[in-house]
Amino acid sequence: MRTIKVTVNGESHQAEVPDHRTLLDFLRQDLELMGTKSGCETGDCGACTVLLNGKAVNSCLVLAAEADGKEVLTVEGLAYPNRELHPLQEAFVEHGAIQCGYCTSGMLLSAKALLDEIPRPTEEEVKEALAGNLCRCTGYYSIIKAVQAAAEKMNR
Amino acid sequence: MVRKLRKFNYSRPGTVAEVVSLLKDYQEKASLLAGGTDLLVFMKLGGKNPKHVIDMKGITVLDHLSWTPADGLRIGCLTTLQSILRHPLIREHFPMLEQAAKALGHPQIRSRATVAGNICTASPSGDCAPSLLALDARVTVASPAGERTIPVREIFAGPFKTILAPTDVVTEIQVPALPPHSAGSYRWQPKITAVDETLVGVAAVVTLSDGGKTIKDVRIGLGSVAPTPMRAPRAEEFLRGKQITDSLFDEAAGIAAGESQPRTRAEYRREITRVLVEQALKEAVDRASRNGGNR
């Protein structure tokens, strides 16, 4: 067991965790933030994507201990504090970029990491940024369109 | 299938000396953690079950990347694939390494995975290996007996096996500066699966002479076509000193494909090797001809 201090969605958390706890399980089990999904558990599907110090990572392949002292953003922290949806979330709703929703939180966070780095991405750059997020409802094109629409809105 | 981690002890030492000392105590009961994108997967799938996981990321000085004409490129063992992408020094001196970084995984993996980890995992399809072989790169290894340097071409012992001892720690990768009128290229073909693992990866580094008309020197690295990443010595020998003609690269590519030793999908992999060797040679020559080379 060890004590870790992690800032999640702007809130500081101190917790006792076993050494083998992943960041994903820490978020879901210890903090009860269920928005981050567990998919393949081996870094292939992207359902567990969160931002760690601003970078998109597979939280299933990060130990909670490795997140000690770092900042994590999950889908729960994406909407603004006044509960208004983030432009990405709005665009996903408007463009029908959600079907079953299992990949959505990961998609949103990969897209957020992209727009933080490249505010006006090309379609190719959106595709590359989402390459690590699998959608089995075959909604890729609506998702790409949503990300581009959000980028446009945010740059307005 | 339950893909969860079994219990282990985690430590995060602050110096290489501490890592070496821990490895001396734990021996093969320990695994080194850099990016974790291979190690944690192996642990979840049952391929590895270390009692101790030693996280290298406490040694922040090992996350570095520098270039000087004398030392060439130095890549710390914590440098991620993400930091290779779009890096001005990489773009200026070794654009082939940006191609290799792009071939590997996807953004979430590249945020964590390290170049050194990609070498130490020793997957036959690792995307960094062909380029580092073709660039004659070396790794610095710390151990209880002290520090030593090993050429990358000597490090691979078999699929997912290296010659490194349980007490060895790779701390840095060094890529020597290229001579004038030189450049490299990495071309790859992925399998079309969830992870888009590389089916064949080919790196070529050329040095031109005679105003760009002759191949003065060449090195070719092949990935995913043999139990380990390999060079293509017969194709290299064939090309060395030859004048560039329309058919030269096609012939050389045929020789390199013949040297490959694919274990599965052999006929297809050989054919793709032939195609990619020709592409990589052409791109390397093209880059070497532009701007006086060194690209």
Side-chain angles (χ1 to χ4, degrees):
Chain A
M1 297 291 282
R2 65 185 49 244
T3 307
I4 59 166
K5 213 173 159 184
V6 188
T7 303
V8 180
N9 303 330
E11 208 176 299
S12 177
H13 294 270
Q14 191 165 314
E16 285 270 309
V17 293
D19 283 6
H20 65 288
R21 171 84 26 109
T22 61
L23 175 59
L24 172 62
D25 290 344
F26 172 69
L27 292 170
R28 288 180 58 86
Q29 291 168 19
D30 297 83
L31 302 189
E32 297 183 347
L33 292 171
M34 300 296 185
T36 308
K37 304 301 178 198
S38 165
C40 68
E41 288 283 340
T42 48
D44 303 328
C45 77
C48 68
T49 303
V50 300
L51 303 195
L52 183 64
N53 280 3
K55 284 183 189 154
V57 301
N58 295 122
S59 61
C60 73
L61 294 185
V62 177
L63 299 174
E66 292 177 271
D68 186 21
K70 296 199 159 63
E71 282 187 23
V72 177
L73 182 75
T74 72
V75 72
E76 287 90 346
L78 198 55
Y80 296 124
N82 63 4
R83 317 280 292 173
E84 211 174 280
L85 291 181
H86 186 277
L88 275 166
Q89 292 170 312
E90 269 181 1
F92 269 55
V93 173
E94 279 164 20
H95 287 78
I98 306 162
Q99 285 189 44
C100 85
Y102 207 81
C103 73
T104 306
S105 15
M107 288 282 183
L108 285 167
L109 287 154
S110 285
K112 167 91 166 60
L114 169 71
L115 298 188
D116 287 347
E117 199 192 344
I118 307 173
R120 292 170 195 274
T122 62
E123 186 179 321
E124 200 50 39
E125 284 168 333
V126 176
K127 285 183 186 171
E128 277 177 22
L130 301 180
N133 295 81
L134 303 185
C135 164
R136 294 294 87 151
C137 309
T138 69
Y140 289 115
Y141 276 93
S142 337
I143 293 168
I144 293 161
K145 281 203 189 97
V147 175
Q148 286 183 307
E152 214 168 281
K153 195 171 180 184
M154 289 164 76
N155 283 310
R156 229 179 268 155
Chain B
M1 183 200 260
V2 184
R3 291 176 165 180
K4 291 288 173 193
L5 293 170
R6 284 190 263 178
K7 281 186 182 171
F8 56 81
N9 293 313
Y10 170 90
S11 57
R12 190 185 178 97
T15 64
V16 173
E18 282 173 73
V19 173
V20 169
S21 150
L22 288 172
L23 287 175
K24 223 173 133 183
D25 290 345
Y26 302 148
Q27 299 283 332
E28 62 283 341
K29 290 196 180 91
S31 285
L32 292 176
L33 171 67
T37 55
D38 284 329
L39 177 66
L40 297 182
V41 174
F42 295 150
M43 287 167 64
K44 285 186 178 187
L45 298 180
K48 278 196 175 181
N49 187 22
K51 293 281 163 283
H52 304 273
V53 169
I54 305 172
D55 189 355
M56 300 286 289
K57 287 189 292 299
I59 317 172
T60 48
V61 292
L62 295 177
D63 181 1
H64 67 83
L65 195 152
S66 67
W67 193 89
T68 62
D71 288 348
L73 182 70
R74 298 173 63 168
I75 305 171
C77 71
L78 291 179
T79 302
T80 61
L81 274 305
Q82 177 60 44
S83 48
I84 297 281
L85 277 187
R86 293 193 275 275
H87 195 294
L89 285 174
I90 296 291
R91 286 209 165 156
E92 189 181 346
H93 300 287
F94 297 104
M96 67 191 299
L97 290 178
E98 181 169 16
Q99 291 176 297
K102 214 173 163 180
L104 195 151
H106 49 68
Q108 292 94 312
I109 294 294
R110 289 194 290 262
S111 299
R112 305 289 290 171
T114 62
V115 183
N118 192 232
I119 294 303
C120 291
T121 291
S123 164
S125 66
D127 280 293
C128 295
S131 296
L132 294 176
L133 283 173
L135 288 164
D136 249 345
R138 301 179 298 267
V139 296
T140 300
V141 179
S143 78
E147 206 174 77
R148 67 193 196 278
T149 300
I150 308 173
V152 169
R153 69 179 305 178
E154 287 172 18
I155 218 165
F156 303 113
F160 301 96
K161 283 199 179 77
T162 66
I163 58 153
L164 297 172
T167 48
D168 284 338
V169 190
V170 170
T171 55
E172 191 180 89
I173 297 167
Q174 292 132 18
V175 185
L178 292 172
H181 311 293
S182 302
S185 161
Y186 180 65
R187 310 289 295 206
W188 74 99
Q189 170 68 39
K191 297 176 189 169
I192 307 300
T193 66
V195 290
D196 293 346
E197 183 191 2
T198 291
L199 177 81
V200 177
V202 172
V205 173
V206 298
T207 302
L208 304 179
S209 61
D210 197 16
K213 291 196 201 103
T214 304
I215 304 283
K216 187 180 176 195
D217 198 10
V218 58
R219 290 186 298 268
I220 297 168
L222 306 178
S224 208
V225 293
T228 68
M230 62 179 281
R231 289 268 295 269
R234 285 201 290 126
E236 293 173 9
E237 191 52 43
F238 167 80
L239 284 165
R240 222 164 267 137
K242 286 247 167 55
Q243 274 218 334
I244 297 171
T245 61
D246 285 346
S247 62
L248 184 70
F249 300 134
D250 182 40
E251 278 183 71
I255 297 171
E259 290 181 87
S260 67
Q261 303 147 35
R263 297 179 296 166
T264 56
R265 302 195 223 178
E267 197 183 336
Y268 181 47
R269 277 195 158 101
R270 271 202 199 96
E271 177 58 14
I272 297 293
T273 304
R274 195 187 61 72
V275 172
L276 296 180
V277 168
E278 186 174 355
Q279 284 181 9
L281 285 167
K282 281 185 172 162
E283 187 170 56
V285 166
D286 191 45
R287 284 178 176 160
S289 310
R290 270 184 280 144
N291 311 316
N294 264 351
R295 291 256 154 185

